[in-house]
């Protein structure tokens, strides 16, 4: 006789997550937008964490489910609910609530699932990136930030690094009670991986003295390198992390036009920049493709971080099918070319940084190639030289300009995946030549 209690219902959290996955698989909607629709759900954070664990480990989980044949042997168990329960059991809570039939079924397969995954597979999926904490110099100076930390933390004594590999080794050998300063971004502090939750809930973070920002996303503003008092355009600004960093770099002086099309994200941008005491940011709710040079006069420096596949940021809840879909990449590439070409039409622009959190050439090198062809009054600068030649991962060498572009790779650089290219307007003499 079966030990299953058919009258026991599946917990609502599992059903809701399974429903979100089903919609994502069938309608091609992004998980980010689907989870945002659940913003009033009491277990939103828990559901988001569970889905993040799945997207971080999707290939391994899908392969394990197929290998242990749980769906074939239990045809009434839906694929989406099975994925939800396996993720919860192995990667998230490490346990399942209730005694419903689906829950008991997945529990009974635990050993087979673990064997299919393999201990090595599980170990590989652990996040080893450090905790990056950037100082918001609109509120606290770099010197004062170090003084604040001195009470409870040891600052790792690092001599000037001879090369990039020495720096990475120092990051990987950080002790739990230590921190160090990044070698490229002066206001970026690096803590041990185990301090992620500590800083996520710390009063300095809540008060916006410190910003939780991955190093790769800091590089875009750093490489743009606008002088104090510059007129800057951030074309796709929300939620505002790069915009705020730009404000810090120019000492809260000059003007930063921050454009955002989506109404909800625009409200978030305004809220964020107000909380961090930015005085030089002018938010504008509009489609940036409709913005004319007259509406944002005298712009000299432009940061373009356009909508992209997010393939370098799997922890942002992207399904593999979302980031690898060829038709979607082609559509995104077309939009990115339009946006970058629009940036190049601003008459006083001196420098443009184009960045994506994508690792696909369709959104990166292909966009750069097309825009250089369409806009011959611009040239590409070396992103590696902008980092004092202390960087390893560059663009695809199959492109004649590839070595001038920069990638950050999670497995090497201990950051999210990102692409950066720097464009500079040709001088009159260069145009004649």
């Amino acid at each position: 006789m079966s030990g299953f209690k058919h009258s026991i219902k599946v917990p609502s959290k599992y059903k809701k997550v399974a429903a979100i996955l089903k919609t994502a698989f069938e309608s091609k909607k992004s998980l980010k937008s689907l989870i945002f629709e659940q913003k009033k759900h009491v277990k939103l954070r828990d559901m988001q964490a569970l889905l993040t664990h799945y997207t971080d480990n999707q290939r391994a989980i899908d392969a394990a489910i197929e290998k242990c044949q749980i769906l074939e042997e239990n045809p009434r168990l839906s694929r989406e609910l099975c994925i939800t329960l396996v993720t919860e059991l192995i990667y998230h809570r490490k346990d399942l609530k209730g005694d419903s039939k689906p829950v008991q079924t997945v529990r009974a397969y635990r050993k087979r699932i673990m064997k299919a995954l393999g201990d090595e597979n599980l170990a590989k999926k652990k996040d080893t990136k450090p905790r990056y904490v950037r100082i918001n110099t609109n509120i606290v100076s770099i010197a004062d930030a170090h003084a604040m930390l001195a009470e409870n933390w040891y600052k790792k004594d690092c001599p000037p690094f001879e090369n990039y590999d020495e720096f990475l080794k120092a990051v990987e050998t950080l002790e739990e009670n230590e921190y160090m300063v990044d070698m490229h971004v002066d206001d970026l502090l690096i803590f041990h991986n185990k301090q992620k939750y500590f800083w996520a809930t710390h009063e300095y973070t809540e008060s916006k003295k410190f910003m939780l920002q991955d190093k790769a996303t800091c590089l875009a503003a750093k490489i743009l390198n606008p002088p104090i008092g510059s007129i800057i355009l951030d074309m796709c600004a929300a939620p505002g992390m790069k915009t705020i960093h730009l404000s810090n770099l120019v000492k809260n002086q000059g003007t930063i036009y921050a454009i955002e099309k989506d109404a909800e994200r625009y409200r978030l941008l305004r809220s964020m920049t107000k909380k961090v005491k930015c005085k030089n940011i002018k938010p504008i709710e509009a489609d940036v493709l409709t913005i004319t040079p007259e509406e944002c006069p005298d712009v000299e420096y432009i940061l373009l971080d356009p909508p992209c596949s997010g393939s370098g940021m799997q922890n942002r809840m992207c399904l593999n099918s979302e980031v690898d879909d060829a038709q979607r990449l082609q559509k995104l590439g077309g939009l990115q070319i339009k946006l970058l070409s629009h940036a190049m039409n601003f008459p006083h622009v001196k420098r443009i940084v184009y960045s994506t959190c994508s690792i696909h050439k369709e959104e990166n090198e292909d966009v750069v190639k097309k825009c250089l062809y369409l806009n011959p009054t611009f040239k590409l600068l070396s992103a590696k030289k902008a980092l004092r030649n202390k960087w390893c991962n560059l663009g695809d060498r199959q492109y004649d300009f590839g070595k001038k572009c920069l990638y950050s790779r999670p497995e090497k650089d201990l950051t999210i995946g990102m692409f950066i290219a720097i464009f500079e307007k040709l001088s009159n003499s260069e145009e004649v030549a």
Side-chain angles (χ1 to χ4, degrees), residues 263-393:
E264 187 66 32
R265 287 170 61 82
Y266 174 73
R267 284 192 289 272
L268 177 61
L269 172 67
R270 286 184 62 91
S271 173
M272 281 281 288
T273 54
K274 184 178 180 181
K275 285 178 184 177
V276 299
K277 311 296 183 186
C278 290
K279 298 176 182 177
N280 60 342
I281 293 176
K282 292 187 177 181
I284 299 173
E285 184 180 0
D287 180 347
V288 73
L289 289 172
T290 68
I291 294 291
T292 65
E294 291 72 30
E295 292 172 279
C296 300
D298 304 318
V299 166
E300 302 166 292
Y301 295 86
I302 297 179
L303 176 61
L304 172 58
D305 189 74
C308 71
S309 66
S311 56
M313 299 181 68
Q314 286 300 294
N315 61 332
R316 275 193 152 185
M317 297 194 305
C318 295
L319 294 172
N320 293 331
S321 58
E322 290 178 39
V323 298
D324 294 335
D325 183 78
Q327 191 174 14
R328 181 168 180 259
L329 291 177
Q330 184 179 16
K331 185 176 179 181
L332 283 166
L335 173 62
Q336 291 152 354
I337 290 166
K338 283 183 182 179
L339 289 165
L340 185 50
S341 292
H342 186 57
M344 292 173 172
N345 285 328
F346 280 74
H348 303 293
V349 66
K350 297 175 180 177
R351 177 177 287 193
I352 302 168
V353 162
Y354 174 76
S355 66
T356 74
C357 50
S358 170
I359 56 174
H360 294 306
K361 64 182 179 63
E362 291 90 342
E363 302 177 273
N364 299 331
E365 288 93 345
D366 285 354
V367 172
V368 170
K369 181 179 179 180
K370 185 69 172 179
C371 286
L372 285 172
Y373 172 76
L374 294 173
N375 303 275
T377 58
F378 282 84
K379 66 179 179 180
L380 208 58
L381 300 182
S382 170
K384 184 176 181 178
K385 284 184 180 178
L387 296 178
R388 307 189 302 278
N389 288 316
K390 292 182 178 179
W391 196 263
C392 296
N393 288 308

Side-chain angles (χ1 to χ4, degrees), residues 142-365:
I142 292 176
D144 286 345
H146 287 298
M148 287 156 49
L149 291 169
E151 295 179 18
N152 300 301
W153 297 87
Y154 294 106
K155 184 181 177 185
K156 188 166 185 172
D157 186 20
C158 298
F161 296 105
E162 292 293 326
N163 55 60
Y164 184 48
D165 285 334
E166 281 187 10
F167 162 74
L168 291 174
K169 186 175 181 180
V171 174
E172 290 175 328
T173 55
L174 267 174
E175 298 291 340
E176 289 184 35
N177 62 346
E178 288 183 323
Y179 78 96
M180 60 184 282
V181 179
D182 184 71
M183 75 175 295
H184 299 110
V185 185
D186 296 340
D187 56 1
L188 187 65
L189 310 177
I190 308 173
F191 293 83
H192 192 278
N193 172 269
K194 289 186 178 179
Q195 304 302 338
K196 289 195 172 183
Y197 180 76
F198 176 87
W199 285 113
T201 57
H202 198 278
E203 61 176 305
Y204 293 163
T205 309
E206 293 293 328
S207 62
K208 303 304 179 187
K209 292 175 182 174
F210 288 171
M211 310 294 292
L212 304 183
Q213 186 172 0
D214 188 273
K215 174 177 177 171
T217 69
C218 296
L219 291 178
K222 177 70 176 178
I223 288 174
L224 184 61
N225 194 28
I228 295 171
S230 297
I231 310 298
I232 305 166
L233 173 62
D234 188 349
M235 294 183 70
C236 303
M241 297 299 287
K242 297 181 187 71
T243 323
I244 295 163
H245 194 194
L246 285 168
S247 177
N248 291 162
L249 290 173
V250 296
K251 308 297 184 187
N252 220 352
Q253 298 176 37
T255 302
I256 303 173
Y257 296 105
I259 317 298
E260 179 51 49
K261 178 180 178 180
D262 181 81
E264 187 66 32
R265 287 170 61 82
Y266 174 73
R267 284 192 289 272
L268 177 61
L269 172 67
R270 286 184 62 91
S271 173
M272 281 281 288
T273 54
K274 184 178 180 181
K275 285 178 184 177
V276 299
K277 311 296 183 186
C278 290
K279 298 176 182 177
N280 60 342
I281 293 176
K282 292 187 177 181
I284 299 173
E285 184 180 0
D287 180 347
V288 73
L289 289 172
T290 68
I291 294 291
T292 65
E294 291 72 30
E295 292 172 279
C296 300
D298 304 318
V299 166
E300 302 166 292
Y301 295 86
I302 297 179
L303 176 61
L304 172 58
D305 189 74
C308 71
S309 66
S311 56
M313 299 181 68
Q314 286 300 294
N315 61 332
R316 275 193 152 185
M317 297 194 305
C318 295
L319 294 172
N320 293 331
S321 58
E322 290 178 39
V323 298
D324 294 335
D325 183 78
Q327 191 174 14
R328 181 168 180 259
L329 291 177
Q330 184 179 16
K331 185 176 179 181
L332 283 166
L335 173 62
Q336 291 152 354
I337 290 166
K338 283 183 182 179
L339 289 165
L340 185 50
S341 292
H342 186 57
M344 292 173 172
N345 285 328
F346 280 74
H348 303 293
V349 66
K350 297 175 180 177
R351 177 177 287 193
I352 302 168
V353 162
Y354 174 76
S355 66
T356 74
C357 50
S358 170
I359 56 174
H360 294 306
K361 64 182 179 63
E362 291 90 342
E363 302 177 273
N364 299 331
E365 288 93 345

Side-chain angles (χ1 to χ4, degrees), residues 62-114:
D62 290 352
I65 288 173
E66 183 177 357
K67 191 172 182 179
C68 73
Q69 296 190 311
I70 185 173
L71 294 176
E72 288 80 359
E73 295 171 9
N74 299 273
R76 295 185 67 181
L77 176 63
S78 75
R79 177 193 174 208
E80 295 79 19
L81 184 55
C82 182
I83 288 170
T84 301
L85 296 175
V86 168
T87 306
E88 177 89 332
L89 181 63
I90 307 300
Y91 290 95
H92 185 36
R93 296 289 182 183
K94 310 292 194 298
D95 194 12
L96 294 174
K97 289 187 177 182
D99 288 307
S100 62
K101 183 171 182 177
V103 165
Q104 288 199 55
T105 299
V106 172
R107 277 202 197 111
Y109 277 76
R110 180 171 189 156
K111 286 185 179 179
R112 288 168 65 176
I113 294 167
M114 290 293 289

